[in-house]
């Protein structure tokens, strides 16, 4: 609730007075960018810990892990931007989030899995920011640190929505295609059954 209020509940201030113009926010964004691979690996390790089956049964190949660092980089860029630049306006990262939805659909994941994966990614990134803020000490004030965490959370939420929307769209299209195939099959079977029944009725008469 605090994050939503900070993000949407105030009129953006000019760049010169915005907390995102301060060096601490840019420093945290740089730290996120430089740690993207390590954070992606930490995310995967956390995910492995809760998987009831072998990792390869859920994530065939290395494609999934290849997507995560790029998403982290764009979230980092979002952290360092002024308030008037939204992550949803970045075509590249939204495309990557959509590709992740298609990939997870091909890998036969579920919406629940996607939500869980993004939840863990959010925890990893927010935990990283918290650790870095602690290291920086007085170089970053509490309000700025909270705004950075909220920006990370908002970026995760927007990308998650894009991934889930793409996944559901692919799933719905498959259901529609399967339903149409089943309808056509039923029509064919009904026609084939009616033909011998007609012959039997004629013979019986």
């Amino acid at each position: 609730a605090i994050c939503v209020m900070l993000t949407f509940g105030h009129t953006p201030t000019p760049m010169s007075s915005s907390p995102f113009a301060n060096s601490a926010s840019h420093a945290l964004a740089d730290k996120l960018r430089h740690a993207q691979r390590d954070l992606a690996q930490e995310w995967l390790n956390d995910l492995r810990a809760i998987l009831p089956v072998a990792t390869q049964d859920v994530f065939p190949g290395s494609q999934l892990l290849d997507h995560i660092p790029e998403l982290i980089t764009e979230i980092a860029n979002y952290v360092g931007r002024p308030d008037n630049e939204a992550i949803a306006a970045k075509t590249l990262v939204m495309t990557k989030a959509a590709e992740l939805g298609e990939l997870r659909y091909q890998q036969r994941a579920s919406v629940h899995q996607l939500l869980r994966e993004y939840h863990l990614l959010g925890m990893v990134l927010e935990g990283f920011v918290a650790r870095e803020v602690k290291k920086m000490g007085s170089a970053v004030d509490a309000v700025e640190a909270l705004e950075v965490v909220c920006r990370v959370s908002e970026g995760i939420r927007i990308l998650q929505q894009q991934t889930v929307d793409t996944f559901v769209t692919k799933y719905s299209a498959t259901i529609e295609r399967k339903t149409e195939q089943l309808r056509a099959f039923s029509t064919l079977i009904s026609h084939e059954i009616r033909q011998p029944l007609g012959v039997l009725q004629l013979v019986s008469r």
Side-chain angles (χ1 to χ4, degrees), residues 163-204:
T163 298
V164 170
D165 285 349
T166 303
F167 180 93
V168 170
T169 298
K170 296 286 291 183
Y171 185 83
S172 299
T174 299
I175 293 296
E176 291 176 7
R177 187 173 66 253
K178 296 290 185 182
T179 300
E180 186 57 38
Q181 290 173 346
L182 183 58
R183 187 179 295 115
F185 178 74
S186 298
T187 300
L188 176 63
I189 292 298
S190 298
H191 176 72
E192 293 298 325
I193 289 176
R194 280 197 300 269
Q195 281 187 324
L197 283 178
V199 173
L200 287 174
Q201 288 173 347
L202 179 63
V203 171
S204 66

Short mmCIF file of all heavy atoms in Angstrom, two decimals, residues 163-204:
data_model
loop_
_atom_site.label_atom_id
_atom_site.label_comp_id
_atom_site.label_asym_id
_atom_site.label_seq_id
_atom_site.Cartn_x
_atom_site.Cartn_y
_atom_site.Cartn_z
N THR A 163 3.80 -11.03 -18.82
CA THR A 163 4.11 -12.45 -18.99
C THR A 163 2.86 -13.30 -18.83
O THR A 163 2.58 -14.19 -19.65
CB THR A 163 5.18 -12.89 -17.97
OG1 THR A 163 6.38 -12.16 -18.19
CG2 THR A 163 5.49 -14.38 -18.10
N VAL A 164 2.09 -13.04 -17.78
CA VAL A 164 0.88 -13.82 -17.52
C VAL A 164 -0.16 -13.60 -18.62
O VAL A 164 -0.81 -14.56 -19.07
CB VAL A 164 0.29 -13.48 -16.14
CG1 VAL A 164 -1.08 -14.11 -15.95
CG2 VAL A 164 1.23 -13.96 -15.03
N ASP A 165 -0.33 -12.36 -19.07
CA ASP A 165 -1.29 -12.07 -20.14
C ASP A 165 -0.94 -12.84 -21.41
O ASP A 165 -1.82 -13.40 -22.08
CB ASP A 165 -1.32 -10.57 -20.45
CG ASP A 165 -2.07 -9.78 -19.39
OD1 ASP A 165 -2.72 -10.40 -18.53
OD2 ASP A 165 -2.00 -8.53 -19.42
N THR A 166 0.35 -12.87 -21.75
CA THR A 166 0.78 -13.61 -22.94
C THR A 166 0.54 -15.10 -22.77
O THR A 166 0.06 -15.77 -23.69
CB THR A 166 2.28 -13.35 -23.20
OG1 THR A 166 2.50 -11.96 -23.34
CG2 THR A 166 2.73 -14.07 -24.47
N PHE A 167 0.86 -15.62 -21.60
CA PHE A 167 0.65 -17.04 -21.30
C PHE A 167 -0.82 -17.40 -21.44
O PHE A 167 -1.18 -18.40 -22.09
CB PHE A 167 1.14 -17.34 -19.89
CG PHE A 167 0.98 -18.78 -19.47
CD1 PHE A 167 2.02 -19.68 -19.64
CD2 PHE A 167 -0.20 -19.24 -18.91
CE1 PHE A 167 1.88 -21.01 -19.27
CE2 PHE A 167 -0.36 -20.55 -18.54
CZ PHE A 167 0.69 -21.45 -18.71
N VAL A 168 -1.70 -16.60 -20.85
CA VAL A 168 -3.15 -16.88 -20.88
C VAL A 168 -3.68 -16.78 -22.31
O VAL A 168 -4.53 -17.58 -22.72
CB VAL A 168 -3.90 -15.92 -19.94
CG1 VAL A 168 -5.41 -16.04 -20.13
CG2 VAL A 168 -3.54 -16.22 -18.48
N THR A 169 -3.18 -15.81 -23.07
CA THR A 169 -3.61 -15.66 -24.47
C THR A 169 -3.24 -16.90 -25.28
O THR A 169 -4.06 -17.43 -26.05
CB THR A 169 -2.95 -14.42 -25.11
OG1 THR A 169 -3.39 -13.25 -24.41
CG2 THR A 169 -3.34 -14.30 -26.57
N LYS A 170 -2.02 -17.40 -25.10
CA LYS A 170 -1.60 -18.62 -25.80
C LYS A 170 -2.44 -19.82 -25.37
O LYS A 170 -2.85 -20.64 -26.19
CB LYS A 170 -0.12 -18.91 -25.51
CG LYS A 170 0.84 -17.85 -26.04
CD LYS A 170 1.00 -17.92 -27.54
CE LYS A 170 1.74 -19.16 -27.98
NZ LYS A 170 1.96 -19.19 -29.43
N TYR A 171 -2.69 -19.91 -24.08
CA TYR A 171 -3.47 -21.02 -23.54
C TYR A 171 -4.90 -20.98 -24.07
O TYR A 171 -5.45 -22.00 -24.50
CB TYR A 171 -3.47 -20.95 -22.01
CG TYR A 171 -4.14 -22.12 -21.34
CD1 TYR A 171 -3.45 -23.31 -21.12
CD2 TYR A 171 -5.47 -22.04 -20.93
CE1 TYR A 171 -4.06 -24.39 -20.51
CE2 TYR A 171 -6.09 -23.11 -20.32
CZ TYR A 171 -5.39 -24.29 -20.11
OH TYR A 171 -6.01 -25.35 -19.51
N SER A 172 -5.50 -19.79 -24.09
CA SER A 172 -6.87 -19.64 -24.57
C SER A 172 -6.98 -19.98 -26.05
O SER A 172 -7.94 -20.62 -26.49
CB SER A 172 -7.37 -18.20 -24.34
OG SER A 172 -7.37 -17.88 -22.97
N ALA A 173 -5.97 -19.56 -26.83
CA ALA A 173 -5.97 -19.87 -28.26
C ALA A 173 -5.90 -21.37 -28.49
O ALA A 173 -6.56 -21.92 -29.38
CB ALA A 173 -4.81 -19.17 -28.96
N THR A 174 -5.11 -22.06 -27.67
CA THR A 174 -5.01 -23.52 -27.79
C THR A 174 -6.33 -24.18 -27.43
O THR A 174 -6.77 -25.12 -28.12
CB THR A 174 -3.90 -24.04 -26.86
OG1 THR A 174 -2.65 -23.47 -27.24
CG2 THR A 174 -3.80 -25.56 -26.95
N ILE A 175 -6.99 -23.71 -26.39
CA ILE A 175 -8.28 -24.27 -25.99
C ILE A 175 -9.29 -24.09 -27.11
O ILE A 175 -10.06 -25.01 -27.44
CB ILE A 175 -8.79 -23.60 -24.69
CG1 ILE A 175 -7.88 -23.96 -23.51
CG2 ILE A 175 -10.23 -24.01 -24.42
CD1 ILE A 175 -7.88 -25.43 -23.16
N GLU A 176 -9.32 -22.90 -27.70
CA GLU A 176 -10.26 -22.65 -28.80
C GLU A 176 -9.97 -23.56 -29.99
O GLU A 176 -10.89 -24.09 -30.63
CB GLU A 176 -10.17 -21.18 -29.23
CG GLU A 176 -10.72 -20.21 -28.20
CD GLU A 176 -10.53 -18.76 -28.62
OE1 GLU A 176 -10.08 -18.53 -29.77
OE2 GLU A 176 -10.81 -17.87 -27.79
N ARG A 177 -8.69 -23.75 -30.30
CA ARG A 177 -8.33 -24.61 -31.42
C ARG A 177 -8.71 -26.06 -31.14
O ARG A 177 -9.27 -26.75 -32.01
CB ARG A 177 -6.82 -24.51 -31.68
CG ARG A 177 -6.38 -25.25 -32.95
CD ARG A 177 -4.93 -24.99 -33.29
NE ARG A 177 -4.03 -25.55 -32.29
CZ ARG A 177 -3.35 -24.84 -31.41
NH1 ARG A 177 -3.48 -23.52 -31.38
NH2 ARG A 177 -2.55 -25.41 -30.53
N LYS A 178 -8.46 -26.52 -29.92
CA LYS A 178 -8.82 -27.89 -29.56
C LYS A 178 -10.34 -28.08 -29.57
O LYS A 178 -10.84 -29.13 -29.99
CB LYS A 178 -8.27 -28.22 -28.17
CG LYS A 178 -6.76 -28.22 -28.05
CD LYS A 178 -6.15 -29.38 -28.80
CE LYS A 178 -4.63 -29.43 -28.56
NZ LYS A 178 -3.98 -30.54 -29.31
N THR A 179 -11.07 -27.07 -29.12
CA THR A 179 -12.53 -27.16 -29.11
C THR A 179 -13.07 -27.26 -30.53
O THR A 179 -13.99 -28.04 -30.81
CB THR A 179 -13.13 -25.92 -28.41
OG1 THR A 179 -12.65 -25.86 -27.07
CG2 THR A 179 -14.65 -25.98 -28.40
N GLU A 180 -12.49 -26.46 -31.44
CA GLU A 180 -12.92 -26.50 -32.84
C GLU A 180 -12.60 -27.86 -33.47
O GLU A 180 -13.40 -28.41 -34.23
CB GLU A 180 -12.23 -25.38 -33.62
CG GLU A 180 -12.71 -25.23 -35.05
CD GLU A 180 -14.20 -25.00 -35.16
OE1 GLU A 180 -14.75 -24.28 -34.30
OE2 GLU A 180 -14.81 -25.55 -36.10
N GLN A 181 -11.43 -28.41 -33.14
CA GLN A 181 -11.07 -29.73 -33.66
C GLN A 181 -12.03 -30.79 -33.14
O GLN A 181 -12.45 -31.69 -33.89
CB GLN A 181 -9.64 -30.07 -33.26
CG GLN A 181 -8.58 -29.24 -33.97
CD GLN A 181 -7.18 -29.49 -33.44
OE1 GLN A 181 -7.00 -30.08 -32.37
NE2 GLN A 181 -6.17 -29.05 -34.18
N LEU A 182 -12.39 -30.69 -31.86
CA LEU A 182 -13.32 -31.66 -31.27
C LEU A 182 -14.70 -31.53 -31.89
O LEU A 182 -15.37 -32.54 -32.15
CB LEU A 182 -13.40 -31.42 -29.76
CG LEU A 182 -14.28 -32.39 -28.96
CD1 LEU A 182 -13.80 -33.83 -29.14
CD2 LEU A 182 -14.29 -32.02 -27.49
N ARG A 183 -15.12 -30.29 -32.16
CA ARG A 183 -16.42 -30.07 -32.79
C ARG A 183 -16.44 -30.68 -34.20
O ARG A 183 -17.42 -31.32 -34.59
CB ARG A 183 -16.72 -28.57 -32.85
CG ARG A 183 -18.13 -28.24 -33.33
CD ARG A 183 -18.37 -26.73 -33.34
NE ARG A 183 -18.31 -26.17 -32.00
CZ ARG A 183 -17.41 -25.32 -31.58
NH1 ARG A 183 -16.44 -24.92 -32.40
NH2 ARG A 183 -17.43 -24.85 -30.35
N ALA A 184 -15.36 -30.46 -34.95
CA ALA A 184 -15.29 -31.02 -36.30
C ALA A 184 -15.28 -32.54 -36.26
O ALA A 184 -15.91 -33.22 -37.09
CB ALA A 184 -14.04 -30.50 -37.01
N PHE A 185 -14.56 -33.12 -35.29
CA PHE A 185 -14.51 -34.57 -35.15
C PHE A 185 -15.89 -35.13 -34.81
O PHE A 185 -16.32 -36.15 -35.36
CB PHE A 185 -13.50 -34.93 -34.06
CG PHE A 185 -13.40 -36.40 -33.78
CD1 PHE A 185 -12.75 -37.25 -34.68
CD2 PHE A 185 -13.96 -36.95 -32.65
CE1 PHE A 185 -12.66 -38.61 -34.43
CE2 PHE A 185 -13.87 -38.31 -32.38
CZ PHE A 185 -13.22 -39.14 -33.28
N SER A 186 -16.60 -34.45 -33.91
CA SER A 186 -17.94 -34.90 -33.52
C SER A 186 -18.90 -34.87 -34.70
O SER A 186 -19.73 -35.78 -34.88
CB SER A 186 -18.49 -34.02 -32.39
OG SER A 186 -17.67 -34.12 -31.25
N THR A 187 -18.78 -33.81 -35.52
CA THR A 187 -19.62 -33.71 -36.71
C THR A 187 -19.34 -34.85 -37.67
O THR A 187 -20.26 -35.46 -38.23
CB THR A 187 -19.38 -32.36 -37.41
OG1 THR A 187 -19.68 -31.29 -36.51
CG2 THR A 187 -20.25 -32.23 -38.66
N LEU A 188 -18.07 -35.15 -37.87
CA LEU A 188 -17.67 -36.24 -38.76
C LEU A 188 -18.21 -37.58 -38.26
O LEU A 188 -18.78 -38.37 -39.02
CB LEU A 188 -16.15 -36.28 -38.87
CG LEU A 188 -15.56 -37.44 -39.71
CD1 LEU A 188 -16.02 -37.33 -41.16
CD2 LEU A 188 -14.06 -37.44 -39.61
N ILE A 189 -18.04 -37.84 -36.97
CA ILE A 189 -18.50 -39.09 -36.39
C ILE A 189 -20.02 -39.22 -36.49
O ILE A 189 -20.55 -40.29 -36.82
CB ILE A 189 -18.05 -39.20 -34.92
CG1 ILE A 189 -16.52 -39.34 -34.83
CG2 ILE A 189 -18.72 -40.38 -34.22
CD1 ILE A 189 -15.98 -40.58 -35.50
N SER A 190 -20.72 -38.12 -36.22
CA SER A 190 -22.18 -38.15 -36.31
C SER A 190 -22.63 -38.49 -37.73
O SER A 190 -23.56 -39.27 -37.93
CB SER A 190 -22.76 -36.79 -35.90
OG SER A 190 -22.44 -36.50 -34.56
N HIS A 191 -21.94 -37.93 -38.71
CA HIS A 191 -22.28 -38.20 -40.11
C HIS A 191 -22.03 -39.67 -40.45
O HIS A 191 -22.85 -40.33 -41.10
CB HIS A 191 -21.45 -37.30 -41.02
CG HIS A 191 -21.66 -37.57 -42.48
ND1 HIS A 191 -22.81 -37.22 -43.15
CD2 HIS A 191 -20.84 -38.17 -43.40
CE1 HIS A 191 -22.71 -37.60 -44.41
NE2 HIS A 191 -21.52 -38.17 -44.60
N GLU A 192 -20.88 -40.20 -39.99
CA GLU A 192 -20.54 -41.58 -40.29
C GLU A 192 -21.49 -42.55 -39.60
O GLU A 192 -21.80 -43.63 -40.13
CB GLU A 192 -19.10 -41.87 -39.84
CG GLU A 192 -18.03 -41.11 -40.63
CD GLU A 192 -18.02 -41.48 -42.10
OE1 GLU A 192 -18.29 -42.66 -42.43
OE2 GLU A 192 -17.78 -40.60 -42.94
N ILE A 193 -21.98 -42.19 -38.42
CA ILE A 193 -22.90 -43.07 -37.70
C ILE A 193 -24.28 -43.05 -38.35
O ILE A 193 -24.96 -44.08 -38.44
CB ILE A 193 -22.99 -42.64 -36.21
CG1 ILE A 193 -21.67 -43.00 -35.51
CG2 ILE A 193 -24.17 -43.32 -35.51
CD1 ILE A 193 -21.62 -42.54 -34.07
N ARG A 194 -24.71 -41.86 -38.82
CA ARG A 194 -26.04 -41.75 -39.41
C ARG A 194 -26.18 -42.57 -40.69
O ARG A 194 -27.25 -43.10 -40.99
CB ARG A 194 -26.35 -40.28 -39.70
CG ARG A 194 -26.81 -39.48 -38.49
CD ARG A 194 -27.49 -38.19 -38.91
NE ARG A 194 -26.61 -37.33 -39.69
CZ ARG A 194 -25.82 -36.39 -39.17
NH1 ARG A 194 -25.81 -36.20 -37.86
NH2 ARG A 194 -25.06 -35.66 -39.94
N GLN A 195 -25.09 -42.67 -41.46
CA GLN A 195 -25.17 -43.41 -42.73
C GLN A 195 -25.56 -44.88 -42.54
O GLN A 195 -26.55 -45.34 -43.13
CB GLN A 195 -23.85 -43.30 -43.50
CG GLN A 195 -23.69 -41.96 -44.22
CD GLN A 195 -22.46 -41.94 -45.10
OE1 GLN A 195 -21.44 -42.52 -44.75
NE2 GLN A 195 -22.56 -41.28 -46.24
N PRO A 196 -24.85 -45.68 -41.73
CA PRO A 196 -25.27 -47.08 -41.55
C PRO A 196 -26.62 -47.20 -40.84
O PRO A 196 -27.37 -48.13 -41.10
CB PRO A 196 -24.15 -47.68 -40.70
CG PRO A 196 -23.44 -46.52 -40.10
CD PRO A 196 -23.57 -45.40 -41.06
N LEU A 197 -26.95 -46.27 -39.97
CA LEU A 197 -28.25 -46.32 -39.32
C LEU A 197 -29.37 -46.14 -40.33
O LEU A 197 -30.41 -46.80 -40.27
CB LEU A 197 -28.34 -45.22 -38.24
CG LEU A 197 -27.60 -45.51 -36.91
CD1 LEU A 197 -27.74 -44.32 -35.99
CD2 LEU A 197 -28.12 -46.77 -36.26
N GLY A 198 -29.15 -45.25 -41.30
CA GLY A 198 -30.15 -45.05 -42.37
C GLY A 198 -30.35 -46.30 -43.18
O GLY A 198 -31.48 -46.66 -43.55
N VAL A 199 -29.25 -46.99 -43.49
CA VAL A 199 -29.33 -48.25 -44.27
C VAL A 199 -30.11 -49.30 -43.47
O VAL A 199 -30.99 -50.00 -44.01
CB VAL A 199 -27.92 -48.78 -44.60
CG1 VAL A 199 -28.02 -50.15 -45.24
CG2 VAL A 199 -27.21 -47.80 -45.54
N LEU A 200 -29.82 -49.42 -42.16
CA LEU A 200 -30.50 -50.39 -41.32
C LEU A 200 -31.99 -50.08 -41.24
O LEU A 200 -32.84 -51.01 -41.27
CB LEU A 200 -29.88 -50.39 -39.91
CG LEU A 200 -28.49 -51.02 -39.80
CD1 LEU A 200 -27.94 -50.81 -38.40
CD2 LEU A 200 -28.53 -52.50 -40.13
N GLN A 201 -32.36 -48.81 -41.14
CA GLN A 201 -33.77 -48.45 -41.09
C GLN A 201 -34.49 -48.81 -42.39
O GLN A 201 -35.62 -49.31 -42.36
CB GLN A 201 -33.91 -46.94 -40.81
CG GLN A 201 -33.55 -46.54 -39.38
CD GLN A 201 -33.52 -45.04 -39.18
OE1 GLN A 201 -33.54 -44.29 -40.14
NE2 GLN A 201 -33.45 -44.63 -37.92
N LEU A 202 -33.82 -48.57 -43.53
CA LEU A 202 -34.41 -48.91 -44.81
C LEU A 202 -34.62 -50.42 -44.92
O LEU A 202 -35.67 -50.89 -45.36
CB LEU A 202 -33.51 -48.39 -45.94
CG LEU A 202 -33.99 -48.70 -47.37
CD1 LEU A 202 -35.31 -48.02 -47.63
CD2 LEU A 202 -32.94 -48.24 -48.38
N VAL A 203 -33.63 -51.22 -44.54
CA VAL A 203 -33.72 -52.68 -44.60
C VAL A 203 -34.83 -53.18 -43.68
O VAL A 203 -35.61 -54.07 -44.04
CB VAL A 203 -32.36 -53.31 -44.23
CG1 VAL A 203 -32.53 -54.83 -44.07
CG2 VAL A 203 -31.32 -53.00 -45.30
N SER A 204 -34.92 -52.60 -42.50
CA SER A 204 -35.94 -53.05 -41.53
C SER A 204 -37.34 -52.76 -42.06
O SER A 204 -38.26 -53.55 -41.87
CB SER A 204 -35.74 -52.39 -40.17
OG SER A 204 -35.96 -50.99 -40.28
#
